[in-house]
Amino acid sequence: MKLLINICAHDGIISHYCGVGTMVHRYIKTIVSFIKNSNDIIELNLITPQYNELSFGYSKEYSYYSNSILNAKVIQISNGSNGEQNFGEFDNWQTLCTNTATFINNINNDRYDKIINIYNDVPFTDLANKLNFSNKNINIWIPHSTVKIHSYDAYTSENSMKYYARLGLEINSISFINTHINCYVACISEYMKEHLITEYGLHKQKIKMLINGEILDDCTLTQPVSNKDIDNLLKSLNENKILILSYGRAEKYKGLETSMYIGSKLNLPTIIIAQSYYKTQPILDEYKKIASECNSKLIIDPPFNLASIILNEYKGTLIVLLPSKRESMGLIINEIRKLNKNNILVVANDIDGFREQIKNGIDGVIVNFDNIESACDEIRKNLDENKIKLINKKAQKTLVKKYNFIRNFNKFKKGIL
């Protein structure tokens, strides 16, 4: 069989700034491994919005990797912003989908037995609606979130017109997929599957599962690179026997301020790492005010790998708080499990995809972050070295059983071929 795979993504090909990019990079690495071990002839197009090296989130590492893959091409498609807006807004998404469809529609179908179009998240939501159809083409949309899940997001809550523009795209996309052959939705978690069925009317026969996870035997991950400032920070942190860490994008739904309140209530040193979208983002002032009140150490826009360095190098008991108000699935949970460290306790909010990933008190801790007092009580109950070791041991079994991404991707691959 001669196969062409088109992976379309706004992040993870020549940029890295969010969880979507992390998973897209894993898709690519998994497919590359599949190509090396396949008797089929497989070509790969990596399609992404046009970037320049000054664009937000541009990654030399990801760009080098993508451009070095044998039988793969990196295709940059204009979204109308001349590389200035990589994610963009509604008009950028429409332009991107139109231009991407033009590129794919101009591919000579006679050269291939199958063409698989895997397109990710918001900017490519409307792509299938613009593609030509043939029995050779298989179209798969992977929504890593929806506007209904991220209604807490500053982007959608500030302007209802933006909310309804994105909602309209998502509804139309699901409707189109429901009524057209060879069109599917890949669901990244059981929670996302149920969400799309109940909230968007996705037909069950249009679902392909592609559960997020870790490449367990991947030893090529970039090792954290330290510097003098980070070394000094680590030295100061290691003076503490217990430390709270919380990190993520500076967005309302991430709930990072809750971690500051928890740290203050528990009277424990607390590190908050917030990655901003721009220096004057209003939520940053709110974080600074709360951090001062709670005596938390707030670090805005440090080196992208700072959290990884702390996770790897901190010697005491590390409590990682995940206070998100909504999450389709938390990548951090399995990333920490992969480290297999007996000094890290993951504490997640009792919501959405987190409930699917953690059995409370067995392979992690689930608390109600809306109730600071009870959340602190639950954390205190689990601050025991032996208990944390036992939780980690169970977490390793969960990771292997449910979140081996190579196995999950192979199931997905069989389902679409």
Side-chain angles (χ1 to χ4, degrees):
M1 179 186 290
K2 189 168 185 181
L3 182 67
L4 173 65
I5 303 175
N6 295 311
I7 297 183
C8 308
H10 63 85
D11 190 27
I13 295 175
I14 58 176
S15 67
H16 187 209
Y17 56 86
C18 67
V20 176
T22 298
M23 285 313 306
V24 168
H25 190 59
R26 289 176 194 165
Y27 299 163
I28 296 169
K29 295 185 88 169
T30 304
I31 290 171
V32 169
S33 177
F34 167 57
I35 291 173
K36 289 178 179 178
N37 296 293
S38 175
N39 293 323
D40 297 322
I41 300 171
I42 303 172
E43 296 177 11
L44 183 61
N45 285 328
L46 305 177
I47 300 171
T48 192
Q50 179 185 348
Y51 287 85
N52 58 58
E53 292 194 10
L54 298 178
S55 293
F56 173 75
Y58 179 83
S59 169
K60 289 183 179 179
E61 178 191 359
Y62 274 29
S63 180
Y64 176 81
Y65 177 82
S66 296
N67 280 288
S68 66
I69 300 170
L70 190 65
N71 292 330
K73 295 179 182 177
V74 173
I75 312 294
Q76 294 191 52
I77 302 288
S78 172
N79 66 3
S81 72
N82 295 319
E84 295 179 4
Q85 295 284 336
N86 42 13
F87 186 82
E89 298 187 9
F90 184 85
D91 289 343
N92 301 119
W93 306 338
Q94 289 292 288
T95 301
L96 178 64
C97 286
T98 298
N99 291 339
T100 301
T102 299
F103 171 79
I104 294 175
N105 290 338
N106 285 332
I107 293 172
N108 183 359
N109 284 12
D110 294 335
R111 292 184 57 212
Y112 305 99
D113 297 302
K114 288 287 183 184
I115 297 176
I116 300 175
N117 302 308
I118 299 174
Y119 55 107
N120 288 271
D121 220 40
V122 186
F124 289 96
T125 302
D126 201 33
L127 180 60
N129 189 39
K130 301 177 185 298
L131 292 174
N132 296 337
F133 274 80
S134 76
N135 290 331
K136 290 185 176 183
N137 287 58
I138 301 172
N139 302 314
I140 302 157
W141 179 41
I142 307 180
H144 296 260
S145 68
T146 70
V147 75
K148 288 189 176 184
I149 289 175
H150 285 176
S151 57
Y152 284 96
D153 192 334
Y155 171 80
T156 55
S157 62
E158 286 175 358
N159 188 329
S160 61
M161 291 300 291
K162 292 180 180 180
Y163 175 91
Y164 287 109
R166 179 173 167 182
L167 179 60
L169 270 184
E170 293 171 350
I171 290 173
N172 290 339
S173 177
I174 296 294
S175 177
F176 185 89
I177 290 168
N178 279 340
T179 55
H180 286 75
I181 62 168
N182 293 341
C183 286
Y184 303 95
V185 173
C187 294
I188 62 172
S189 65
E190 291 293 334
Y191 167 78
M192 179 62 90
K193 180 182 76 172
E194 295 304 318
H195 169 72
L196 293 173
I197 291 171
T198 58
E199 297 290 324
Y200 287 86
L202 176 63
H203 294 172
K204 292 182 179 180
Q205 65 269 28
K206 290 293 185 174
I207 294 171
K208 303 293 181 183
M209 298 305 296
L210 181 54
I211 301 294
N212 281 353
E214 293 287 320
I215 303 176
L216 300 183
D217 60 352
D218 185 2
C219 299
T220 62
L221 298 176
T222 301
Q223 295 301 311
V225 178
S226 188
N227 58 42
K228 186 175 180 180
D229 290 338
I230 292 176
D231 289 343
N232 289 335
L233 173 64
L234 281 172
K235 186 177 180 180
S236 67
L237 295 181
N238 276 316
E239 294 175 0
N240 304 295
K241 292 184 177 180
I242 303 176
L243 177 69
I244 289 176
L245 174 66
S246 200
Y247 55 99
R249 283 278 158 211
E251 300 181 75
K252 290 182 180 178
Y253 82 91
K254 288 294 185 182
L256 292 176
E257 70 283 353
T258 305
S259 295
M260 303 184 208
Y261 294 132
I262 294 281
S264 177
K265 189 73 176 177
L266 290 172
N267 195 28
L268 291 174
T270 302
I271 302 290
I272 306 295
I273 300 174
Q275 295 285 345
S276 71
Y277 288 98
Y278 53 93
K279 300 299 181 185
T280 58
Q281 197 175 346
I283 198 171
L284 299 179
D285 289 333
E286 180 182 338
Y287 284 167
K288 291 173 185 175
K289 181 175 181 294
I290 299 171
S292 177
E293 294 171 352
C294 295
N295 199 29
S296 299
K297 184 174 181 60
L298 173 65
I299 306 174
I300 297 173
D301 297 336
F304 198 71
N305 58 12
L306 178 59
S308 295
I309 294 173
I310 295 173
L311 290 169
N312 277 284
E313 302 297 331
Y314 181 70
K315 307 302 182 186
T317 299
L318 186 58
I319 308 167
V320 179
L321 300 184
L322 306 179
S324 296
K325 297 177 174 67
R326 303 295 305 271
E327 282 292 356
S328 54
M329 189 179 195
L331 296 186
I332 290 175
I333 293 171
N334 289 321
E335 288 171 348
I336 292 176
R337 284 170 171 167
K338 186 178 176 182
L339 295 176
N340 192 14
K341 299 197 71 178
N342 288 322
N343 66 323
I344 301 177
L345 179 68
V346 176
V347 181
N349 200 6
D350 188 13
I351 49 98
D352 304 344
F354 289 163
R355 293 172 180 154
E356 175 184 335
Q357 291 176 270
I358 292 178
K359 292 182 179 178
N360 187 33
I362 306 297
D363 52 11
V365 177
I366 291 281
V367 302
N368 178 6
F369 275 90
D370 288 335
N371 188 326
I372 300 293
E373 193 70 47
S374 67
C376 289
D377 288 342
E378 287 299 312
I379 293 170
R380 290 189 191 98
K381 289 177 186 177
N382 288 279
L383 279 182
D384 174 80
E385 288 186 13
N386 291 328
K387 192 165 188 178
I388 293 174
K389 287 180 182 178
L390 185 59
I391 285 175
N392 180 61
K393 186 176 180 180
K394 297 287 187 180
Q396 296 309 301
K397 293 181 179 179
T398 301
L399 177 65
V400 172
K401 182 179 179 180
K402 296 179 65 176
Y403 301 111
N404 180 336
F405 187 68
I406 297 293
R407 186 183 60 225
N408 292 350
F409 189 88
N410 283 334
K411 287 182 181 179
F412 166 76
K413 174 173 60 72
K414 289 178 183 177
I416 62 176
L417 290 177

